[in-house]
Amino acid sequence: MAPHVNAIVATLDLVCPPIPNSSLSGISQNKEVVQILRRSDFYMIGGRARAHYTDVTVDDEGKVCFGIQVQGGARGNGFIDIRAIPPIAAIDGDVRISFGYSENFLNFYRVGENGEKTLVAKFHPEDILWRRGRRERFISGLENHLDLACYDLLYVGIATKTDSYDRLIAKGHQARQEILSDEPQRHPGAHVSDEIYLFLFNIDPLLIKSWRPQDEFEVDDTVMTYSNERLVADAEKAFISILKPSYNSQLYKNYPKGRDGLYDHGYTGYSYSISDGLTFRTPFGSMKGARERNITLSNDADSISIKGDSVRLHIAGADYEIDASST
């Protein structure tokens, strides 16, 4: 007997911080980073003015105080507990730490007995905002991180039979090139390549089945399986149909119906949310992500829910929904 509830609650998890397009050449030469990027098969391209550090100081308690300024936009203040930075906290015994910074990086070095410095941690503003959105313990402040990490959503895509690195970075990606060619500067004097960001996601599903007391079922009915290929294809269409990114030419007006998604595959419902603390906006709506410290799900994240032919964007903490059929 089919379960009374057969649902999927899926979160989109970034495999790394947002990547400025201008840094791709350096990333492609790092084999360890490339392996991380290859874990992704779902990606987005967004735009936002460049962010940089301001007013960086170190206090007597070993905290780095800093501001993050989005050019022409939001500004926030944050703090880093040096001893709580994971690679530093993992060092046994007493250790000397040296600190240096620029408007683009916060650098932390281990100082050896001979005075030699070894880099142990390096944070770009996008990295700090990503880690703040994930509630990492060594960062505090930046209460307005959703305003700082707010991007214009330009394109949503998937990597069929390959991975996001191969599809989006290693090979010429038509939409990315079109965006770099056509997008205007978001701040006077800026390079557009600094203002375009790549977001590489992995989709993590939670499968839910339940039966009523009167239902009869066999052990085989409790087996949890799903098709990742169908889940990824369906998620792409869900985000495009709701948010309508400007560089996606196919907007899937018939979603959730389709041959390669989850429609007509026995699910009573399914949903998608972003498990990182950032915001994507388009003229047709905005969607913010969130997570708890130890799990990817959060009631603070907006979500796209599908039940039958109904597709809705649920706004966390608000009493209204956006219906895909009305946009």
Side-chain angles (χ1 to χ4, degrees):
M1 176 179 290
H4 179 60
V5 173
N6 184 21
I8 296 180
V9 178
T11 56
L12 274 63
D13 313 328
L14 282 171
V15 302
C16 66
I19 305 171
N21 186 83
S22 56
S23 68
L24 290 182
S25 59
I27 286 175
S28 299
Q29 298 172 11
N30 189 318
K31 293 182 179 180
E32 292 182 0
V33 172
V34 169
Q35 286 302 110
I36 293 173
L37 303 186
R38 288 193 182 280
R39 299 173 188 170
S40 166
D41 53 10
F42 186 110
Y43 57 87
M44 299 184 187
I45 303 176
R48 192 212 61 204
R50 189 174 69 87
H52 61 271
Y53 292 115
T54 65
D55 304 322
V56 181
T57 61
V58 181
D59 67 18
D60 295 335
E61 298 179 352
K63 285 188 177 181
V64 175
C65 310
F66 61 90
I68 292 182
Q69 174 72 60
V70 176
Q71 291 181 321
R75 186 188 189 283
N77 295 312
F79 311 90
I80 291 177
D81 184 345
I82 296 176
R83 296 292 171 175
I85 296 173
I88 296 175
I91 299 173
D92 294 328
D94 293 333
V95 61
R96 289 175 57 200
I97 299 296
S98 175
F99 170 68
Y101 69 91
S102 67
E103 68 171 17
N104 295 320
F105 291 102
L106 303 178
N107 301 317
F108 298 85
Y109 304 88
R110 180 175 184 174
V111 182
E113 293 182 359
N114 60 357
E116 182 180 352
K117 295 181 180 180
T118 303
L119 183 68
V120 293
K122 182 176 184 178
F123 302 110
H124 188 274
E126 303 305 322
D127 192 4
I128 288 293
L129 291 174
W130 177 61
R131 293 172 182 273
R132 173 61 180 86
R134 291 192 160 204
R135 303 174 184 263
E136 296 201 21
R137 295 181 185 277
F138 72 93
I139 303 172
S140 56
L142 294 175
E143 301 302 330
N144 64 334
H145 66 278
L146 286 176
D147 296 324
L148 296 164
C150 181
Y151 307 85
D152 298 322
L153 180 60
L154 303 174
Y155 187 83
V156 173
I158 61 174
T160 305
K161 298 180 180 179
T162 180
D163 56 69
S164 294
Y165 174 81
D166 190 56
R167 178 74 180 88
L168 184 60
I169 299 173
K171 299 178 180 179
H173 189 277
Q174 182 177 349
R176 181 164 69 88
Q177 298 305 319
E178 184 180 347
I179 288 168
L180 292 171
S181 174
D182 294 351
E183 278 297 292
Q185 293 174 329
R186 285 171 167 77
H187 187 75
H191 296 289
V192 172
S193 188
D194 290 331
E195 300 181 323
I196 299 302
Y197 298 86
L198 311 183
F199 304 83
L200 276 62
F201 293 96
N202 179 49
I203 301 184
D204 183 18
L206 172 64
L207 280 63
I208 302 171
K209 290 186 178 183
S210 69
W211 288 262
R212 296 166 298 187
Q214 66 269 30
D215 293 336
E216 295 182 2
F217 61 92
E218 298 179 357
V219 174
D220 289 346
D221 296 329
T222 65
V223 175
M224 300 289 196
T225 61
Y226 76 101
S227 166
N228 184 70
E229 186 175 341
R230 285 192 173 275
L231 179 65
V232 171
D234 195 277
E236 177 196 32
K237 294 177 178 61
F239 277 86
I240 292 173
S241 68
I242 280 283
L243 296 176
K244 300 177 174 58
S246 56
Y247 287 86
N248 282 96
S249 57
Q250 173 62 268
L251 298 181
Y252 302 108
K253 295 181 180 180
N254 292 327
Y255 181 80
K257 296 179 180 179
R259 290 180 295 178
D260 59 349
L262 300 180
Y263 190 77
D264 275 346
H265 274 71
Y267 294 103
T268 52
Y270 37 102
S271 69
Y272 304 102
S273 63
I274 298 169
S275 68
D276 285 279
L278 49 79
T279 303
F280 288 118
R281 62 187 178 189
T282 74
F284 297 93
S286 295
M287 187 170 180
K288 64 181 179 293
R291 69 160 59 198
E292 300 305 316
R293 179 169 286 135
N294 298 316
I295 60 173
T296 59
L297 294 171
S298 174
N299 289 331
D300 293 331
D302 301 338
S303 64
I304 299 172
S305 68
I306 301 93
K307 187 175 182 179
D309 291 334
S310 174
V311 183
R312 295 183 180 275
L313 174 60
H314 296 263
I315 306 299
D319 58 356
Y320 64 91
E321 302 168 343
I322 297 177
D323 191 329
S325 63
S326 66
T327 59

